[in-house]
Amino acid sequence: MSVNKEIKRVSTAMLQAMKDRKEKISMLTSYDYSMAKMVDSAGVDVILIGDSAANVFAGYETTLPITLDNMIYHAAAVTRGTERAMVLADLPFGSYQGSANEAYNAAVRMMKESGAHALKLEGGLEIIENIRKIISGGIPVCGHLGLTPQSINKFGNFGVRAKEEQEAAKLIEDALALQEAGCFAIVLEKIPAALAKTVTEKLAIPTIGIGAGADCDGQVLVINDMLGMNADFKPKFMRHFANLHEQITTAVSNYVAEVKAVQYPNSEEQY
């Protein structure tokens, strides 16, 4: 797509400046061109191609099945639909946890083939050398701590993480290590608000919360969830900013009824 030269793309430096002046950062997921175009035009700062595509787009129970090829496909579609927002893509499970070289090769593929501007990886000290390798190659990395869905089989559930002192201390240690390694931001998922506030105050780089309270430097939600497309999914932190489940099902029902009744198309809706 042609890029409007008057529109300035959100960069890592711009996100850092937003934290410094205490302006909150907005982030939402998208997985396709049409949605990304709407989200971008509405003014969101960062569009995340989350591996949550495995859940909301493909219907899997966890994020684990989605592949690097799948993620590149979604990220490329989103990139083509944006002019202003930073495009941040998840590296999927199994593509970066092995060796630093494997992680770097997966990161290069994502950046070259999708056109994304930055990558998000889950984990702390256990993958720090892999993150360093990616960043050393000039690729911006956003960390992700707390509830890390790629580790769901280790956790055993999607509950709040770092409620206990030991795990909270580990999360702070991981956050500082990610910052030291060169990450430009960190997503904090489903941790106590007080801990998220502490981490945010300790870090010079931005934090983006999801179920982590109002004191993070920004917020992210899954677009399908915040639009109310998944009517039966509403955890404590989720706010439905629309009720598209009802609106879409009503619209489809009306379409079916009018087709059956030969009311669509009418005489003015044909050539």
Side-chain angles (χ1 to χ4, degrees), residues 239-262:
R239 180 184 300 179
H240 289 165
F241 287 81
N243 185 1
L244 289 198
H245 181 273
E246 181 178 328
Q247 293 177 40
I248 291 171
T249 54
T250 297
V252 172
S253 178
N254 290 341
Y255 166 77
V256 171
E258 294 197 15
V259 168
K260 300 285 187 183
V262 200

Side-chain angles (χ1 to χ4, degrees), residues 33-131:
Y33 171 85
S34 298
M35 184 66 79
K37 195 166 184 177
M38 288 188 285
V39 171
D40 185 59
S41 66
V44 164
D45 299 311
V46 183
I47 297 179
L48 170 66
I49 303 92
D51 57 4
S52 50
N55 310 120
V56 300
F57 201 89
Y60 290 110
E61 186 176 346
T62 72
T63 63
L64 302 185
I66 203 163
T67 66
L68 182 59
D69 285 341
N70 294 152
M71 290 300 299
I72 290 171
Y73 172 85
H74 286 290
V78 168
T79 302
R80 290 191 292 269
T82 67
E83 290 187 329
R84 175 186 174 273
M86 172 190 283
V87 177
L88 175 66
D90 272 344
L91 282 186
F93 174 74
S95 67
Y96 62 90
Q97 291 95 338
S99 70
N101 285 338
E102 288 174 354
Y104 178 73
N105 291 337
V108 169
R109 271 203 66 201
M110 175 63 81
M111 297 294 285
K112 289 174 70 72
E113 296 179 34
S114 76
H117 310 122
L119 305 179
K120 182 168 73 63
L121 283 68
E122 296 181 8
L125 284 166
E126 62 276 7
I127 60 161
I128 204 71
E129 293 308 317
N130 301 9
I131 288 175

Side-chain angles (χ1 to χ4, degrees), residues 7 23 29 39 51 57-58 71 76 118-120 129 134 141 148 166 186 209-210 219 226 231 241 256 260-261 267-268:
I7 296 177
E23 177 186 349
T29 67
V39 171
D51 57 4
F57 201 89
M71 290 300 299
L119 305 179
K120 182 168 73 63
E129 293 308 317
I134 294 171
V141 172
T148 46
Q166 184 175 356
I186 300 175
I210 175 167
Q219 299 292 328
M226 63 81 70
F241 287 81
V256 171
K260 300 285 187 183
S267 60
E268 296 180 356

